[in-house]
Amino acid sequence: MRFSIKMRASARGSSLPSTSDGASSDHAESRDRADRHISGAERIVSASDIMRTVAELEHRAWTHSNGRPDDVVVSVHRVDEDEITHIPALTRETRHTQTVDDAHRAITEILGDEGIPTAEHALDALTRIRGMRGAMLLDADTGERRDTKDIRGVRVTALDNDMPTGADGAEEMSSSAAAKPYYCEALTLASKVQYHPAVCAELCISDDPEYTTGYVSTPGSYVRIENIKPAGSPQGGRVFLVRGTDNEIADCIDYLENTPVIVHGIPWPPQDNHTPNPGASDATAPDLPTDLTTFAEQSLAEWENKGLRRYPLEFSSAPTPHTTVSKSDTVLFSSSNYLGLSEHPDVIAAATGALKHYGAGTGGSRLTTGNFTIHTSTERTLAEFTGYDNAVLFGTGYQANGAILATLATDIPEAPSTAPANTPGMTIFSDELNHASLIDGIRMATRGNAEVHIYPHKKMEHLENALAQCSSPRKLIVSDGVFSMNGDIAPLPSIMRLARAHGSWVLIDDAHGTGTLGRTGRGIVEYWNDARRQDAGVNSSPGAGLPDDSDLRPDLLVITASKALGSEGAAVCCSTPVAEFLRNRARGYVFSTSSAPASVAATQAAVRTILREPERVHRLQENSLYLRNQLREHGIPLVDGTSDSTPIIPIFIGDEADAVRISQGLSDRGFHVPGIRYPTVARGRAILRVTTMATHTRDDLDRLVDALRDLMPHAT
Ligand code: WAQ
Ligand code: MG
């Protein structure tokens, strides 16, 4: 069973189209003409792709370059598989005609070769008509109008092509990912039109003023014609040149409007046979290098074709549990604003105060004229919070990781002569599930005499062997603190023990642990120290101090201000000499304008709020544990190895299509929970990634569980 989905977007009551063919006074017609057509598209898809496709077409309608519509109509029609006609794509080539005259000459010639004498008449009709939604049918021999629909024309519908819609690849499907490249739509339409025996040829000019390439199709071939109209002209339309009795033409119109067709073999990537312009002038256009815009279009189309193109949702209020996403009320289960600090009045007041005092921007890098009191005092606050001597602010976590890793690969020593040949001066040991910012930082670091060794996720025996066998004089272990897809925690005590035994430095990116882990939200070090305290049974004695945590401290602890702290930016916490080394050498620090005072002040206020209101951290941890327990209780499986202590709760789904369906079902019920699938996670291991916030109520959590029980067949 398939479904034909049609979208039409229009703006109300603007520009009346003009036509030399006269206008009907029929009410429907005049209402239709008063509406300005913005865009239309359609697909034929299987049941599991309906919601995704509807979302994609909606997105396209609301963001079309023709303008903002007032009305978007999307309709879904059931189609029996055996009603569908499968037809091959026309072959495609391009004529590089230089002028409108050349283009018209080329068209006249192509149609002449087919024995069609009415090219000029057809071109003339195309030049005069404007604002048609469909095509005019003209008699190929006499030029007379053969359809009766006047200004509407005949609209070709019920068609699609067999290019993949991305079932195999989208990263995240809650936002629509099923887009097909626009490029193939014209070829798909032309292939359908040409397939009917009454159609001899088609002429098409886009109504996009900037798109001056049109086409002429004849049986088996689709020839793109450049400069078919002057740039800037809104004139566009389609003419189908037909031959046949009135009955044959009626059958043709019925086929064009109603027969579902899937076109196979649309050429991909979008290349075609370049043929010389046979018209007035010279030879083949030279093979110029692709200009950037064309390159970007092709690349985007390819991305779209693989199902990887993403269209961001639009949030029109703060990332609080109850918010507005793409205009609908939504309960948010996907934000990293874990503690609700982005909207905390003290945080907002601090940001506003700094904005008023220092202004919007700093006007320089930290080393020149952009080092304000708010920067240095916030660095002190962050260092105290995490228990380090010093902290260095960066613009973002991505920037921090790149800058730090590249700088640690500075002045790499030579491997000793006793080491095996080709031993790199530095080896970086990296968990296979590390965040992209660490991976990219390692790429910068390994441009010189450093190599990377990727170890299986959290496999300490593997890491131990690799360290033991490594004779590089400089070693560095790099790991996420909390892994962003699995919601599990790096085995810090083992990592630190191995690092000491093998003389390695350690960098931990605690982006998701800052503010969420540990009894006061200080992150991964506190989390493991708490665990040690519990193991030792110190828990029971009130006021008992924490055991010394110095053996748990990585050399570099990267924290972020953009998640639990509700602001933006990042910092690395480390010893003062390491901080000074980075301040002097890290290019991402030296050559960046310092962060805006308002953001930095918000970060500082957020840390103070956590210290003053530790119950926020506890509420987050309680919410996370409660939701996990409720899910388990109702037979909703979590990903193996996920920790009970993190706010990232990965629900195991497995099948990609199921993940799409459930994520969409949740969205229909007013919850935002993204589905994550290959390539972000392994094939067949799709998940729903839920995140909790301290500000979720029990009711929010219970309602999510109820919705999931509704949508998951095995839930109880
Ligand atoms: N059925 C019949 N006619 C249509 C349809 C349809 N489904 N959609 C559009 N038209 C008519 C209508 O009069 C428009 O004004 C006119 O065609 C042009 O439509 O390979 O973008 O959507 O690079 O602007 C040519 C691509 C692009 C050449 C054509 O047409 C290439 C294009 P547009
Ligand atoms: Mg158009």
Side-chain angles (χ1 to χ4, degrees):
M1 185 64 63
R2 306 268 199 126
F3 296 83
S4 152
I5 305 185
K6 299 175 185 174
M7 176 277 283
R8 178 158 110 78
S10 54
R12 262 173 241 150
S14 44
S15 68
L16 279 168
S18 63
T19 165
S20 58
D21 286 12
S24 150
S25 58
D26 176 295
H27 279 311
E29 289 282 3
S30 50
R31 190 182 57 230
D32 201 64
R33 277 180 298 131
D35 287 354
R36 188 169 62 92
H37 175 71
I38 300 228
S39 74
E42 64 174 282
R43 302 276 190 269
I44 297 175
V45 302
S46 54
S48 62
D49 283 333
I50 294 175
M51 296 317 284
R52 201 150 44 115
T53 308
V54 168
E56 184 247 318
L57 293 178
E58 281 263 346
H59 176 87
R60 175 165 167 184
W62 292 112
T63 58
H64 202 275
S65 59
N66 276 354
R68 197 152 261 251
D70 293 307
D71 303 295
V72 174
V73 179
V74 179
S75 62
V76 182
H77 313 268
R78 190 166 53 77
V79 180
D80 283 330
E81 202 80 44
D82 54 10
E83 282 176 57
I84 297 174
T85 305
H86 294 268
I87 66 174
L90 301 171
T91 56
R92 180 173 182 268
E93 64 181 79
T94 301
R95 294 287 167 91
H96 299 285
T97 37
Q98 305 290 313
T99 64
V100 175
D101 278 350
D102 280 357
H104 286 200
R105 256 194 299 275
I107 291 166
T108 308
E109 194 188 281
I110 292 167
L111 294 183
D113 287 349
E114 294 291 321
I116 299 170
T118 47
E120 285 198 21
H121 183 83
L123 279 167
D124 192 47
L126 267 183
T127 319
R128 277 182 296 116
I129 201 109
R130 231 197 243 183
M132 277 186 84
R133 296 212 25 251
M136 254 187 287
L137 268 62
L138 297 186
D139 193 282
D141 298 309
T142 66
E144 89 189 90
R145 186 91 186 250
R146 297 295 302 270
D147 65 298
T148 54
K149 291 215 175 156
D150 203 3
I151 182 68
R152 279 167 176 271
V154 175
R155 222 175 139 77
V156 184
T157 61
L159 73 168
D160 202 349
N161 55 55
D162 68 346
M163 296 178 69
T165 57
D168 251 353
E171 261 177 296
E172 194 170 307
M173 64 286 279
S174 70
S175 50
S176 53
K180 282 185 182 181
Y182 301 166
Y183 133 80
C184 33
E185 283 183 8
L187 185 51
T188 304
L189 186 146
S191 301
K192 173 170 181 181
V193 172
Q194 204 49 248
Y195 191 71
H196 195 276
V199 175
C200 311
E202 178 190 350
L203 266 178
C204 168
I205 300 178
S206 170
D207 51 26
D208 179 342
E210 302 313 318
Y211 203 78
T212 58
T213 301
Y215 68 84
V216 52
S217 77
T218 52
S221 109
Y222 173 101
V223 184
R224 305 175 72 227
I225 308 283
E226 293 184 345
N227 297 302
I228 199 165
K229 70 171 183 180
S233 160
Q235 161 223 340
R238 277 183 163 93
V239 168
F240 302 159
L241 293 164
V242 295
R243 285 188 176 117
T245 63
D246 285 352
N247 278 345
E248 283 164 345
I249 300 305
D251 176 76
C252 176
I253 292 173
D254 181 56
Y255 159 84
L256 294 172
E257 291 182 333
N258 301 314
T259 305
V261 161
I262 293 184
V263 176
H264 295 260
I266 298 279
W268 189 259
Q271 268 148 19
D272 53 32
N273 320 317
H274 292 274
T275 46
N277 167 21
S281 43
D282 35 40
T284 324
D287 266 346
L288 293 171
T290 309
D291 70 272
L292 176 56
T293 301
T294 307
F295 163 77
E297 278 166 357
Q298 289 173 355
S299 193
L300 269 177
E302 208 170 315
W303 204 242
E304 214 159 50
N305 188 39
K306 287 182 183 157
L308 292 173
R309 180 147 183 198
R310 301 274 299 278
Y311 296 94
L313 298 168
E314 202 168 287
F315 288 70
S316 41
S317 53
T320 51
H322 295 259
T323 184
T324 311
V325 181
S326 299
K327 304 199 173 73
S328 33
D329 294 342
T330 301
V331 189
L332 197 58
F333 278 101
S334 57
S335 176
S336 301
N337 178 24
Y338 297 121
L339 299 174
L341 292 176
S342 89
E343 71 273 17
H344 194 288
D346 294 353
V347 173
I348 294 171
T352 318
L355 184 61
K356 287 199 176 126
H357 183 80
Y358 297 100
T362 66
S365 78
R366 292 289 297 280
L367 294 191
T368 58
T369 57
N371 184 41
F372 294 7
T373 313
I374 189 69
H375 294 108
T376 46
S377 79
T378 299
E379 287 180 337
R380 267 199 309 280
T381 305
L382 291 171
E384 273 164 30
F385 180 61
T386 53
Y388 279 80
D389 293 342
N390 216 314
V392 184
L393 281 170
F394 285 87
T396 68
Y398 183 92
Q399 191 187 20
N401 285 338
I404 294 163
L405 284 159
T407 313
L408 295 181
T410 306
D411 303 331
I412 299 175
E414 289 291 319
S417 52
T418 52
N422 301 323
T423 299
M426 176 175 189
T427 300
I428 301 176
F429 300 86
S430 172
D431 189 293
E432 64 177 339
L433 294 191
N434 277 345
H435 187 256
S437 56
L438 291 173
I439 294 170
D440 290 0
I442 291 169
R443 287 183 183 151
M444 282 201 260
T446 52
R447 273 189 310 209
N449 187 21
E451 276 180 13
V452 61
H453 179 111
I454 297 165
Y455 60 89
H457 182 47
K458 296 197 300 187
K459 283 280 177 306
M460 290 296 108
E461 319 82 76
H462 184 109
L463 176 60
E464 180 159 27
N465 284 335
L467 282 163
Q469 278 162 29
C470 173
S471 26
S472 293
R474 183 177 297 173
K475 303 183 180 90
L476 172 68
I477 302 169
V478 176
S479 178
D480 278 9
V482 173
F483 290 88
S484 55
M485 292 299 143
N486 277 10
D488 57 348
I489 301 175
L492 185 63
S494 306
I495 290 176
M496 294 310 298
R497 187 174 46 74
L498 293 178
R500 270 192 306 280
H502 297 279
S504 177
W505 302 341
V506 178
L507 183 163
I508 300 289
D509 179 351
D510 205 25
H512 290 280
T514 309
T516 73
L517 293 183
R519 50 182 199 152
T520 58
R522 287 173 154 86
I524 189 167
V525 174
E526 186 177 37
Y527 168 85
W528 283 108
N529 209 28
D530 288 348
R532 196 150 66 177
R533 176 168 173 270
Q534 261 168 18
D535 286 348
V538 197
N539 206 16
S540 47
S541 54
L546 284 169
D548 175 33
D549 64 6
S550 53
D551 60 321
L552 289 176
R553 296 188 164 279
D555 302 276
L556 302 138
L557 180 75
V558 176
I559 65 175
T560 179
S562 63
K563 300 186 189 300
L565 301 186
S567 173
E568 65 165 358
V572 57
C573 306
C574 51
S575 70
T576 295
V578 172
E580 284 300 299
F581 165 71
L582 290 173
R583 288 188 177 109
N584 280 276
R585 304 291 293 275
R587 296 172 64 83
Y589 178 88
V590 176
F591 295 105
S592 285
T593 294
S594 58
S595 298
S599 307
V600 179
T603 301
Q604 184 174 52
V607 171
R608 292 187 174 149
T609 306
I610 293 177
L611 295 173
R612 209 171 46 242
E613 302 173 11
E615 60 275 13
R616 279 180 182 267
V617 178
H618 303 152
R619 221 175 305 132
L620 173 69
Q621 293 169 352
E622 280 158 23
N623 279 351
S624 305
L625 186 61
Y626 176 80
L627 184 57
R628 279 192 160 84
N629 285 338
Q630 286 299 108
L631 293 170
R632 288 198 189 100
E633 195 165 301
H634 292 290
I636 298 171
L638 304 184
V639 168
D640 282 348
T642 179
S643 157
D644 276 357
S645 305
T646 75
I648 298 169
I649 307 182
I651 297 175
F652 183 81
I653 303 294
D655 184 68
E656 279 79 14
D658 283 347
V660 180
R661 180 181 58 79
I662 300 169
S663 172
Q664 185 59 53
L666 287 171
S667 154
D668 297 341
R669 288 163 173 75
F671 299 95
H672 184 247
V673 177
I676 312 281
R677 57 180 171 171
Y678 177 83
T680 305
V681 294
R683 235 184 254 278
R685 308 206 51 90
I687 62 170
L688 292 173
R689 183 178 182 274
V690 176
T691 62
T692 45
M693 295 189 262
T695 42
H696 280 128
T697 62
R698 274 288 149 90
D699 185 53
D700 294 333
L701 305 177
D702 289 337
R703 282 176 44 223
L704 176 66
V705 174
D706 287 343
L708 281 163
R709 289 170 63 195
D710 232 25
L711 288 161
M712 295 185 63
H714 302 298
T716 52

